[in-house]
Amino acid sequence: MRDHKCLQIQMRHRLENFKKKNEQLYIEYNELLCSQLDSQRHYFESRMEDIRRENESKMKSLLKKSREVQTKAEKYEKEYHFVKQVNDSLIKNQRELRTKVTDLETERDALLKTAKVAMESKERVMELEEQVRDLMFFLDAKNKVESSPLCNEIKEGSIGVLSASNSDLNTSTSDVGARKNNLSSTKKKKKKSSKKR
C-alpha cells in the first residue's frame, strides 16, 4: 500500500512538474510566437511603407510626364493651327497671284495689239507723209514748169542745147519726171496693200 501511495505521490509530483514545464513551454512558445508575429508585422508594415513611397514617387513621376506630354500636345496643336493658317493664306495668295497673272497676260496681249495697231498707223502715216511730200514736190515742180518761158518745149519734151541757166531747168524737169514715176509706183503699192487688208 505504501508503495502504491508512494508511487501515486511520485506520479502526482511528476505530473505537476510536467504541467509546470508545459505551462512554461507554452508561455515561452507564446512569447516566441508573439515576438515572431510582431517582427513580421514590423517587416510587412515597413515593406508596405516602402511600396507606398515607391508608388507615390512613380505617381509623381507619371503625373509630371503626363503634364509634359499635355504641354507638348498643346504646343503641337497651336503649331498645327498656325501652320494651317499660313498654308491657307499661301493657297489664297497663290490663287490671287494666278488671277493677277491672268489679268496681266490679258493686259499684255491688249497692249501688244494696241502697239501693233500703233506701229501700223505710224507706218501708214509715214507713207502718207512721203506721198504728200512727193505730191508737194510734184506741184511745186509743175508750177515752176508752167511759169517757165520754155513751158511749151518742156511739155512737148524736145531736147536742145541750152545755156547754163537753162541746164538747171532741164535737170529739175528730169527730176520731176522721176518723181512722177515714183509717185505712180507708190500709189500702185498702196492700192495693192489696201486690197489685201
Side-chain angles (χ1 to χ4, degrees), residues 66-125:
S66 175
R67 287 192 197 101
E68 288 174 357
V69 168
Q70 183 69 24
T71 307
K72 283 182 180 178
E74 289 172 358
K75 181 185 173 185
Y76 291 146
E77 190 174 358
K78 285 178 183 176
E79 286 180 1
Y80 166 76
H81 286 302
F82 174 72
V83 169
K84 189 174 182 298
Q85 284 178 355
V86 170
N87 190 39
D88 292 341
S89 177
L90 286 173
I91 289 169
K92 186 181 176 184
N93 289 342
Q94 188 181 25
R95 286 176 187 153
E96 289 175 358
L97 285 173
R98 281 181 181 169
T99 307
K100 284 182 182 178
V101 166
T102 307
D103 293 342
L104 286 171
E105 285 176 350
T106 307
E107 190 176 342
R108 182 200 63 192
D109 293 341
L111 285 171
L112 285 172
K113 286 179 183 177
T114 307
K116 187 178 178 184
V117 170
M119 285 296 292
E120 289 174 355
S121 298
K122 186 178 179 183
E123 288 174 4
R124 180 73 177 148
V125 166

Side-chain angles (χ1 to χ4, degrees), residues 161-192:
V161 180
L162 298 174
S163 63
S165 61
N166 289 334
S167 66
D168 291 340
L169 186 61
N170 286 336
T171 306
S172 64
T173 307
S174 62
D175 287 342
V176 169
R179 286 284 182 177
K180 280 183 180 177
N181 290 334
N182 286 339
L183 184 61
S184 61
S185 64
T186 307
K187 284 179 180 177
K188 285 177 183 177
K189 285 180 183 176
K190 295 300 171 190
K191 284 179 182 177
K192 285 181 183 179

Side-chain angles (χ1 to χ4, degrees), residues 1-2 8 29 48 56 59 65 74 92 101 103 125 139 162 164:
M1 237 1 208
R2 258 186 199 176
Q8 279 183 347
Y29 177 75
M48 283 175 68
E56 281 181 0
M59 282 293 292
K65 285 181 180 178
E74 289 172 358
K92 186 181 176 184
V101 166
D103 293 342
V125 166
L139 291 172
L162 298 174

